[in-house]
Amino acid sequence: MKQNLADLGKIFLIVCAISVMHYYTSYTSTEFHAFSALLYYIPIIFAAFRFGLKGGAWTGFLVSLIYAPYLIWHRAQLPAELVIKVLDVLLYNGIGWITGILVEAEHKQKRRYLHAVEQLKRANEELEQKIREKSELEEQVRRADKLAALGVLVSGVAHELRNPLGILKATIQVMERELGANAPVREFVSVFKEEVERMNNAIQEFLDFARPSAPQFAEVAVNEIVAEVVQFTRKYLEQRHIVIRSVLADGLPAIYADKKQIRQVFMNLVLNGAAAIKAAGGLEIYSEPLDHYIRVRFKDTGCGIPAENLTRIFDPFFTTKDAGTGLGLAVAHRIVDAHCGFIEVVSEAGQGAEFSVYLPINAERGRDA
Ligand SMILES: Nc1ncnc2c1ncn2[C@@H]1O[C@H](COP(=O)(O)OP(=O)(O)OP(=O)(O)O)[C@@H](O)[C@H]1O
Ligand SMILES: [Mg+2]
């Protein structure tokens, strides 16, 4: 706006300056007089370039107005030149109009090009987005395929193991009864019993993984689940010199979810965070609303996850631990998926890790899932 006014001022001043020169030289010097008439084209063309048709036409008209008194006063002295001078005036207007029209046409063309470039850019961005979505989908399908194949295998093996284990367990119970409290081998029998129990639990875990139960949706308060997990793990974490802290947003809406399953997800994330802390450290849990989700962040000061592992940690059986099964995150992923939510992870080797669980607030979506 400011620039427009400045340019209008410039055009007006140039026209005035040329007019002064034109009128002044009319008696003194004919060459300069003729030259000054030509100079009028400069502001006209400049105005057309700057303001399009309107600029060219109005400046041409302004010049004609200023030129007119000169023609009228001198019409008696200039019979021969009069026709040429009148033609000059017409030409000022003609040049103003033509240049204005051409400039506007070019501007229009330029706008069209810019629009086309903009559209191309947008199409390109959409394409990139589609490619990203496709590779994410492929990743999900790959994981789901692996899970399905694994499910069949694991449930078959687990089933076969369960029967002999059941027989072992029953036999041990009979042995225990028969041996009496003071028998010297009683201690061994207890070890037997414990180990069988441990195997049974491990098999149960595999079976849970292979045949996950459908979520039982009910109204739950996310903060309550976080508080339970914190309370449940605090003692264990204290022993490992890990300070756990939760910062929970007030007034979060209840969500439709399977409380047990979400607790399992949170538990897995807390235990993973703790396992990543070698000597001492901290674990923080934040809950907050974000768009249509409740986001629960688990932040630890542990060893972090190297970039090459980031895409693999949700794969079943991916583990970097000697005694890990590598199922924790795969299960967590599946549970959150069944709740129409998602998990994000941000981490760098040596910088700790932050897992964010997004659970939808929209109750219907959760219920339908
Ligand atoms: N908070 C974390 N910090 C660093 N590495 C992590 C973290 N959470 C997960 N990981 C990495 O991801 C791997 C997979 O985790 P996941 O929970 O699936 O299996 P796991 O903990 O190894 O075994 P488990 O089945 O007993 O949980 C871990 O072995 C570890 O390398
Ligand atoms: Mg784990």
Side-chain angles (χ1 to χ4, degrees):
M1 182 67 192
K2 231 174 171 178
Q3 185 62 39
N4 283 356
L5 282 176
D7 284 347
L8 276 177
K10 270 184 222 162
I11 293 166
F12 186 72
L13 281 179
I14 294 171
V15 170
C16 289
I18 296 170
S19 303
V20 170
M21 186 170 162
H22 190 242
Y23 275 80
Y24 180 73
T25 52
S26 62
Y27 296 106
T28 52
S29 156
T30 46
E31 298 87 359
F32 280 111
H33 182 66
F35 177 64
S36 63
L38 288 176
L39 281 180
Y40 275 127
Y41 289 115
I42 293 175
I44 293 172
I45 291 171
F46 175 65
F49 267 93
R50 189 61 190 76
F51 299 105
L53 179 58
K54 263 189 213 155
W58 278 106
T59 314
F61 183 65
L62 174 71
V63 170
S64 314
L65 275 185
I66 295 175
Y67 206 120
Y70 170 80
L71 289 183
I72 295 165
W73 291 332
H74 298 283
R75 65 184 181 281
Q77 294 113 298
L78 310 161
E81 288 169 46
L82 195 61
V83 177
I84 293 178
K85 301 255 177 216
V86 170
L87 285 177
D88 266 354
V89 171
L90 286 178
L91 208 56
Y92 292 146
N93 287 286
I95 292 288
W97 278 78
I98 290 168
T99 318
I101 288 169
L102 286 177
V103 166
E104 278 195 0
E106 199 196 306
H107 279 178
K108 218 168 169 182
Q109 188 75 353
K110 203 164 150 192
R111 272 200 298 275
R112 228 177 281 146
Y113 282 143
L114 284 177
H115 186 64
V117 168
E118 197 55 42
Q119 270 181 332
L120 266 178
K121 215 165 113 190
R122 227 172 299 141
N124 201 23
E125 275 167 11
E126 269 171 30
L127 198 70
E128 274 175 11
Q129 172 74 12
K130 288 257 154 64
I131 291 172
R132 258 200 309 276
E133 277 170 14
K134 188 172 166 269
S135 65
E136 268 167 30
L137 266 178
E138 278 172 358
E139 177 69 19
Q140 275 178 16
V141 168
R142 191 177 63 78
R143 203 172 282 145
D145 279 353
K146 215 167 166 182
L147 282 177
L150 226 62
V152 175
L153 186 78
V154 166
S155 46
V157 174
H159 191 77
E160 287 308 305
L161 285 177
R162 250 187 156 185
N163 289 340
L165 270 181
I167 296 169
L168 265 181
K169 201 172 160 185
T171 314
I172 292 166
Q173 275 165 355
V174 173
M175 275 171 77
E176 241 182 347
R177 254 198 324 266
E178 299 283 315
L179 282 170
N182 298 320
V185 287
R186 168 112 204 169
E187 206 182 311
F188 298 122
V189 175
S190 318
V191 175
F192 249 131
K193 201 174 149 190
E194 269 171 34
E195 291 304 309
V196 166
E197 202 56 51
R198 216 156 68 93
M199 273 197 256
N200 229 351
N201 286 344
I203 286 171
Q204 189 56 48
E205 248 179 57
F206 275 108
L207 278 176
D208 282 349
F209 172 72
R211 287 183 307 209
S213 47
Q216 303 292 310
F217 288 106
E219 234 179 47
V220 295
V222 171
N223 282 351
E224 223 171 75
I225 307 179
V226 175
E228 280 175 22
V229 170
V230 170
Q231 198 191 7
F232 193 72
T233 52
R234 178 162 272 136
K235 269 269 160 317
Y236 163 75
L237 296 173
E238 266 171 14
Q239 280 168 4
R240 303 202 48 212
H241 308 289
I242 297 167
V243 180
I244 187 164
R245 191 171 79 96
S246 57
V247 182
L248 309 176
D250 283 333
L252 286 182
I255 57 163
Y256 265 90
D258 185 319
K259 193 171 176 180
K260 258 173 133 179
Q261 292 193 351
I262 297 298
R263 194 194 293 133
Q264 190 184 351
V265 171
F266 291 178
M267 202 70 175
N268 280 345
L269 294 177
V270 168
L271 293 180
N272 276 350
I277 296 170
K278 296 294 169 253
L283 242 162
E284 283 168 356
I285 310 176
Y286 299 88
S287 71
E288 60 224 335
L290 197 84
D291 298 331
H292 302 298
Y293 294 90
I294 289 179
R295 175 168 75 171
V296 189
R297 280 187 294 142
F298 298 80
K299 211 172 162 186
D300 65 66
T301 57
C303 58
I305 305 166
E308 68 270 19
N309 286 353
L310 270 179
T311 51
R312 304 171 61 201
I313 52 171
F314 292 102
D315 284 353
F317 299 114
F318 174 80
T319 182
T320 54
K321 298 169 193 165
D322 293 338
T325 59
L327 289 177
L329 286 180
V331 170
H333 193 278
R334 189 162 55 194
I335 291 176
V336 175
D337 242 12
H339 284 75
C340 296
F342 58 98
I343 305 182
E344 264 178 11
V345 54
V346 182
S347 182
E348 262 177 56
Q351 300 290 317
E354 183 176 310
F355 284 79
S356 298
V357 179
Y358 292 78
L359 295 166
I361 290 172
N362 187 336
E364 294 313 312
R365 277 179 64 195
R367 213 202 310 249
D368 292 345

